[in-house]
Amino acid sequence: MITNDIFGALQLLVVGMITVFLVLLIVINLGKLLIWAVNKWAPEETVAQKSAPAAKAIASIDATTKAIIDATVSQITGGKGRASKITKM
């Protein structure tokens, strides 16, 4: 009777592992198919180029704004931090 129980358990184990393996193969192949379809038919995004934003940002920040930012950073960090680079977003 114990051998029948062990045989049934092993059979259930093998069937379960094979089922999981097959389902994972299906999921992987469907994922690859989806990636292929999107790459084939979806249009590629175009990114707009910005022209020299750093030079304009440095020129557009005046001394008062820089002083306010420096004071805020100093107050928040307890005098241990400082703003090394300020850019306008």
Side-chain angles (χ1 to χ4, degrees), residues 3 7 9 14 21 29 44-45 49 51 55 59 66 70 72 87:
T3 57
F7 180 71
V14 170
F21 182 73
N29 287 326
E44 190 171 326
E45 291 184 21
Q49 297 290 334
S51 59
K66 185 174 181 338
D70 286 336
T72 305
T87 57

Side-chain angles (χ1 to χ4, degrees), residues 4 6-7 22-23 26 35-36 42 50-52 60 65 68 78 83:
N4 280 341
I6 292 175
F7 180 71
L22 291 176
V23 168
I26 292 170
I35 290 170
W36 174 79
K50 294 182 179 179
S51 59
S60 66
T65 307
I68 292 171

Side-chain angles (χ1 to χ4, degrees), residues 8-18:
L10 289 175
Q11 186 179 11
L12 184 62
L13 175 74
V14 170
V15 169
M17 290 181 78
I18 290 173

